[in-house]
Amino acid sequence: MTETSTQNLIQPLGAGDLIDRAIRLYRQNFWTFIWIASPPIIFATLFSLGWTLLGRELFAVGSAKNYDNLFYYNVFSWLGGTVIWFLETVAALVVMGGASRNFVRHLLWFEPITFRETYANIRKKPFALILSSVFIVFLLSILAVVIFYVGLILTSIIFVLCAVLSTVSMVLAWIVGVILSLTIAFLTLWLFFLVASKFAYIPQIMLVEGQGFGTAIGRSGSLASGNIKRFAALFIFTILATYSALSILYIPLGWYAYVNGIQILSFDKDLTPAWYAIGAQLISQASFVLLTPIWMLGLSLLYVDERVRHEGYDVELMAARQLGEIPPLPPQYANPLQPAISTAVKSPEVADNSMLGLN
């Protein structure tokens, strides 16, 4: 990549530009990002397949003898799916932190984005990255559940209100119901994205800036001001792309199952053969490995963009590119000119009195 094209990557980005740049970088480094995203997802796939086969064996799914065990099989499957999703999401955030440092070095010195460099970055702070990723996933999961049930309660109140209004005018009931439902959906999503965006940059800050977990939380919140629209656009695009990929990949499997007389929409697991359950799991994980790099790149671009907007990060990057790294000073001195990317983990006794918090 030329210096001009790289310089364009650190200009302020709108939501459309953010997604466009992420896809463009993804295309240019497709196999590299697939390799980077693959290890945790391959592990999750093997765990998921083993869990599915274990459940079918324990509860004798597939035979006509044990219909009473279907409830326990569903609970077993749900528990396994939840654990797999949690671990997979945590692993994706950990990998995202390592990739973000590699990405910034790519902007600085045109270093290639590689599998080896990404995982070497992770080994510098493995436990801190895992801790921060578990914190983010757990917190946002609880938040999502709370917001969902609040929205459900408000929706129930709307149904009651519409039922009362329908005695006066059915048209009025429909209009009020649609307007209030859309308003509640918008407000609940906005609240989720508002909170989620405050924690979006913790892995990047820890790896790029060398900050500790506690400092990274506060810094992520300060960087995230005003980025809700772009964060929401990236999140929604990734979700839609994931389900689009799932739909495309499920079509051949669904047709094959239909031709062979498999009731793919049945809730009765005894009517679903093991090969179909395994195929569905493989497709689900394949779509995840294909789309994770876009989310990874998008958040890294968003992190750089926020620093460009708030801190003149583009100037720092150009200075580091032209003048090299700033020579280190003894710990007792406060250097107002911090490096664009951390070269060492900050020791706890050093005061965090940097102008930009880039120690």
Side-chain angles (χ1 to χ4, degrees):
M1 183 177 291
T2 64
E3 182 171 353
T4 302
S5 60
T6 305
Q7 180 61 30
N8 290 335
L9 293 176
I10 54 177
Q11 295 176 350
L13 302 174
D17 294 330
L18 175 72
I19 295 172
D20 178 68
R21 298 284 171 82
I23 295 175
R24 189 183 309 171
L25 283 168
Y26 181 35
R27 288 203 310 264
Q28 293 170 352
N29 302 273
F30 177 77
W31 288 111
T32 299
F33 285 121
I34 291 298
W35 281 111
I36 289 173
S38 291
I41 296 175
I42 290 175
F43 174 79
T45 301
L46 295 175
F47 185 87
S48 177
L49 293 178
W51 193 269
T52 300
L53 293 175
L54 177 62
R56 297 179 73 90
E57 183 68 25
L58 288 176
F59 302 102
V61 176
S63 67
K65 305 175 183 178
N66 294 282
Y67 284 97
D68 293 339
N69 288 341
L70 287 178
F71 170 77
Y72 299 104
Y73 173 76
N74 289 330
V75 172
F76 184 83
S77 299
W78 174 85
L79 178 62
T82 302
V83 172
I84 292 167
W85 171 84
F86 184 86
L87 294 177
E88 197 171 46
T89 307
V90 168
L93 288 176
V94 170
V95 173
M96 194 179 300
S100 64
R101 183 178 176 87
N102 196 186
F103 178 71
V104 173
R105 293 184 67 87
H106 173 70
L107 293 180
L108 264 174
W109 299 294
F110 314 108
E111 291 185 2
I113 300 173
T114 64
F115 176 93
R116 181 178 180 179
E117 181 66 22
T118 296
Y119 282 86
N121 293 332
I122 294 173
R123 288 196 296 271
K124 295 176 181 178
K125 278 192 169 186
F127 298 110
L129 277 174
I130 293 173
L131 174 63
S132 63
S133 300
V134 168
F135 169 79
I136 293 170
V137 176
F138 182 77
L139 178 66
L140 295 186
S141 298
I142 297 298
L143 174 68
V145 170
V146 171
I147 291 177
F148 172 78
Y149 280 105
V150 170
L152 197 62
I153 293 172
L154 294 177
T155 303
S156 302
I157 295 174
I158 290 175
F159 280 134
V160 173
L161 177 61
C162 290
V164 174
L165 290 177
S166 64
T167 60
V168 179
S169 171
M170 186 61 70
V171 175
L172 178 62
W174 272 100
I175 293 175
V176 172
V178 169
I179 293 176
L180 291 179
S181 298
L182 291 176
T183 302
I184 289 175
F186 173 80
L187 291 177
T188 51
L189 286 175
W190 180 85
L191 179 60
F192 174 79
F193 290 130
L194 174 65
V195 178
S197 64
K198 300 297 183 183
F199 301 95
Y201 309 129
I202 292 177
Q204 291 89 336
I205 290 170
M206 294 176 67
L207 265 294
V208 175
E209 305 177 23
Q211 302 285 6
F213 175 53
T215 305
I217 293 177
R219 177 147 167 76
S220 178
S222 64
L223 276 180
S225 58
N227 75 335
I228 299 177
K229 291 182 181 179
R230 288 171 296 147
F231 180 82
L234 177 64
F235 183 90
I236 293 172
F237 171 80
T238 306
I239 293 296
L240 292 177
T242 300
Y243 279 100
S244 299
L246 275 173
S247 300
I248 294 173
L249 294 173
Y250 269 128
I251 288 174
L253 180 66
W255 274 110
Y256 183 79
Y258 176 78
V259 169
N260 287 272
I262 305 300
Q263 300 182 28
I264 58 177
L265 298 179
S266 174
F267 291 99
D268 189 347
K269 301 299 181 183
D270 288 331
L271 301 178
T272 306
W275 65 263
Y276 181 81
I278 292 173
Q281 289 285 352
L282 289 175
I283 288 175
S284 175
Q285 299 302 324
S287 66
F288 196 70
V289 76
L290 286 173
L291 274 302
T292 296
I294 295 181
W295 179 245
M296 186 186 305
L297 276 170
L299 276 183
S300 295
L301 282 169
L302 196 54
Y303 162 75
V304 172
D305 183 67
E306 289 299 328
R307 294 189 67 180
V308 169
R309 291 170 182 266
H310 292 91
E311 303 172 346
Y313 193 46
D314 50 342
V315 178
E316 289 188 62
L317 291 176
M318 285 188 292
R321 185 182 301 144
Q322 298 297 327
L323 304 176
E325 298 183 44
I326 299 173
L329 290 179
Q332 61 268 28
Y333 295 98
N335 186 359
L337 301 175
Q338 298 299 326
I341 183 169
S342 166
T343 56
V345 178
K346 182 176 67 173
S347 57
E349 65 270 10
V350 180
D352 190 10
N353 50 9
S354 162
M355 165 187 273
L356 301 179
L358 302 178
N359 305 55

